Amino acid sequence: MTRPFRVAIVGAGPAGIYAADLLTKAERDFEVSIDLFERLPTPFGLVRYGVAPDHPRIKGIINALIKVLDRGDIRLFSNVDYGTDITLDDLTDRYDAVIFSTGCITDAALTIPGVDLEGSFGAADFVNWYDSHPDVAQDWPLDAERVAVIGNGNVALDVARVLAKQADDMHVTEIPDHVYEGLKSSKVTDVHVFGRRGPAQAKFTPLELRELGHVPDVDIIVYPEDFEFDDGSLEAIESSNQVKQVAKTLTDFTLREPTGAKRRLHLHFLHAPVEILGEGRVTGLRTERQELDGTGNVRGTGVVTDWEFDAVYRAVGYAGTALPQLPFDPRKGVIPNHEGRVVDTLDQAEAAGADLVPGVYATGWIKRGPVGLIGHTKGDALETIGHILGDRNAGVLAEPVFPEESAIVDLLESKGVDFVDWQGYHRVEAAEKAAGEAEGRERVKIATREGMLAAARDEARAQSVS
């Protein structure tokens, strides 16, 4: 009997799970066996640890991912760290193909003076805190009254909304006590969001922006002088319903009168950050006024403004990180690849003719960079899966030394790796829902790695560890 075609996927976020799902459904005449590996005790990546807790509709994506893994034809090995618990050689010895879908989890660099001052924060770090990432500290300094957020995408909007929102309005979500108490102690009164380009170029999604206008006890303040629309902007509005909705919502905000709310959220456009000000710690932000150039792009005017702030959050995007035994392009923050085939070169432009890393592939943000919404990862996965099947049919993939499904379990157990399987995840989920039910909430996140591992093993013990 022909053995199954064995595939390992490193990273169990949406990109990895979509790749596994699409591979099981691909047209083929042979059996596949897929194993998912995840560094954290739970899967789902940025859907669990990158989406603000007051966006349950977006987190509903998790329900679709759960259905995929509930089928039982994809094995999950969580709490397994690539590079320490398993190596590339371990995987290529046991699988016909290895896909990396590790995503982008760190803040992209903002190269202006002052980024290292006390009170200057990366947005990803703050998101990890309020999303209760198990590998970050449980305290966060929220003593600033005036806060700047640099960026014009959904992460900037999430950070600004969470900072401005009253803690009691967040308590109905899944946040654990340490996040609630931290937000409740916040001294913030004003949050200012700065975008380098104009309103028509903002990268907010319409739903997120509209929801911003319904946050209780928060006034949304925009500035009419920031509302410039050049020919490029008007063309974008006419050609994209999403841009049209964003521009309309922002324009509607200009008509709102302040209500005297306890907190204010200010949206600024056409302000490029020049320097984070301060000596030792943040005291302000310097921006340069921009003007639209007719194409929707901007140029500096030389007019500089100094703003007084107590903290600055940098929400200018995510970046990928290098992985052991794999090539890495630090300029783009990706594993160098040609259409998902990993190549041994840093020059993506020449990737088509580069030497391939045999049997190794990439998908998701670590393949293309941190652009696009979660749904875009399906297209990435289709392309990568197509090449894997093509390489398999062409006979260019090496036979694994240990192709048995039990081989990876034997290896992990021999190394003493305390991996969590899919049933273990359901026990974590049950423990979180039980904690939520006790407070009249849907769930409360377990915030520590130890608590999650305890829940995966024993629900009763988990109650005292979380």
Side-chain angles (χ1 to χ4, degrees):
M1 183 176 177
T2 305
R3 68 170 181 84
F5 181 65
R6 300 273 288 132
V7 178
I9 301 176
V10 180
I17 296 175
Y18 286 150
D21 184 40
L22 290 168
L23 183 55
T24 63
K25 296 175 178 176
E27 186 174 336
R28 51 188 167 74
D29 57 2
F30 55 89
E31 183 183 357
V32 296
S33 173
I34 303 170
D35 290 341
L36 269 171
F37 296 90
E38 170 56 46
R39 182 177 66 85
L40 297 174
T42 54
F44 311 133
L46 282 181
V47 183
R48 182 175 168 95
Y49 294 114
V51 176
D54 58 345
H55 273 312
R57 282 192 295 264
I58 298 176
K59 285 180 174 292
I61 295 169
I62 287 180
N63 294 331
L65 301 178
I66 286 174
K67 288 181 180 179
V68 173
L69 297 181
D70 268 343
R71 293 197 312 251
D73 54 354
I74 300 164
R75 293 195 300 182
L76 176 69
F77 296 87
S78 291
N79 200 46
V80 178
D81 182 43
Y82 171 80
T84 55
D85 297 329
I86 51 172
T87 66
L88 183 61
D89 292 337
D90 290 336
L91 295 174
T92 55
D93 279 351
R94 289 162 178 81
Y95 297 90
D96 297 277
V98 182
I99 305 173
F100 286 88
S101 57
T102 49
C104 298
I105 58 174
T106 60
D107 284 292
L110 177 64
T111 54
I112 62 173
V115 292
D116 295 326
L117 289 171
E118 182 182 351
S120 170
F121 304 107
D125 294 331
F126 184 53
V127 172
N128 281 335
W129 175 76
Y130 67 59
D131 269 335
S132 309
H133 193 293
D135 293 341
V136 303
Q138 293 196 3
D139 57 334
W140 188 270
L142 288 165
D143 52 353
E145 294 183 5
R146 300 158 301 177
V147 177
V149 179
I150 300 172
N152 241 189
N154 280 342
V155 174
L157 215 57
D158 279 351
V159 168
R161 190 185 63 257
V162 171
L163 284 168
K165 207 167 186 177
Q166 300 295 333
D168 286 346
D169 292 325
M170 294 290 291
H171 193 252
V172 297
T173 71
E174 62 188 16
I175 60 171
D177 287 345
H178 75 273
V179 175
Y180 171 67
E181 294 298 335
L183 294 174
K184 195 170 184 178
S185 71
S186 175
K187 295 180 172 60
V188 70
T189 59
D190 291 84
V191 180
H192 294 251
V193 181
F194 291 90
R196 184 177 63 88
R197 299 202 289 171
Q201 289 78 41
K203 298 301 182 183
F204 311 136
T205 54
L207 177 62
E208 285 233 332
L209 189 61
R210 285 196 299 270
E211 288 180 345
L212 192 67
H214 300 292
V215 177
D217 206 19
V218 175
D219 276 337
I220 307 299
I221 300 174
V222 295
Y223 299 85
E225 62 268 25
D226 291 350
F227 279 71
E228 290 185 14
F229 298 94
D230 61 357
D231 289 343
S233 301
L234 295 175
E235 182 179 341
I237 290 170
E238 288 301 317
S239 61
S240 169
N241 188 51
Q242 176 164 312
V243 175
K244 182 182 296 183
Q245 290 182 59
V246 168
K248 182 183 184 306
T249 301
L250 289 170
T251 303
D252 289 345
F253 285 164
T254 66
L255 305 176
R256 296 172 62 150
E257 294 291 335
T259 65
K262 293 180 181 177
R263 292 177 176 172
R264 292 158 293 281
L265 202 163
H266 308 253
L267 299 177
H268 302 272
F269 301 97
L270 299 170
H271 285 276
V274 173
E275 181 179 356
I276 298 174
L277 305 174
E279 293 184 10
R281 70 162 295 118
V282 170
T283 59
L285 177 68
R286 178 170 294 157
T287 64
E288 181 188 7
R289 183 71 181 184
Q290 307 293 296
E291 63 181 8
L292 293 163
D293 66 1
T295 69
N297 291 314
V298 294
R299 58 191 169 219
T301 65
V303 177
V304 171
T305 303
D306 287 355
W307 311 76
E308 291 187 4
F309 292 115
D310 309 307
V312 174
Y313 288 74
R314 310 179 309 274
V316 295
Y318 285 94
T321 52
L323 298 170
Q325 294 185 279
L326 288 171
F328 186 70
D329 185 344
R331 299 167 302 173
K332 298 181 178 179
V334 299
I335 298 173
N337 68 92
H338 179 61
E339 297 178 348
R341 289 185 172 112
V342 173
V343 296
D344 194 12
T345 179
L346 297 186
D347 192 343
Q348 290 276 3
E350 299 177 3
D355 293 331
L356 299 177
V357 179
V360 181
Y361 305 83
T363 192
W365 279 5
I366 200 63
K367 169 188 173 182
R368 74 177 189 275
V371 292
L373 301 175
I374 290 172
H376 291 113
T377 58
K378 289 185 178 180
D380 268 349
L382 279 171
E383 182 179 63
T384 299
I385 295 303
H387 283 308
I388 291 174
L389 297 178
D391 290 346
R392 186 262 180 195
N393 294 335
V396 299
L397 298 177
E399 287 278 331
V401 180
F402 310 107
E404 302 82 10
E405 288 189 340
S406 60
I408 190 64
V409 178
D410 294 340
L411 175 70
L412 294 174
E413 289 181 344
S414 72
K415 290 185 174 185
V417 178
D418 188 18
F419 66 86
V420 177
D421 60 15
W422 183 234
Q423 289 71 34
Y425 166 74
H426 273 305
R427 287 190 285 272
V428 173
E429 183 181 46
E432 291 184 337
K433 288 185 175 180
E437 186 178 1
E439 298 186 15
R441 296 192 272 165
E442 182 180 351
R443 71 194 301 152
V444 175
K445 265 188 180 177
I446 298 175
T448 66
R449 185 178 288 266
E450 294 79 8
M452 284 190 282
L453 292 177
R457 303 288 174 246
D458 180 350
E459 290 182 62
R461 178 173 162 244
Q463 306 292 325
S464 62
V465 181
S466 63

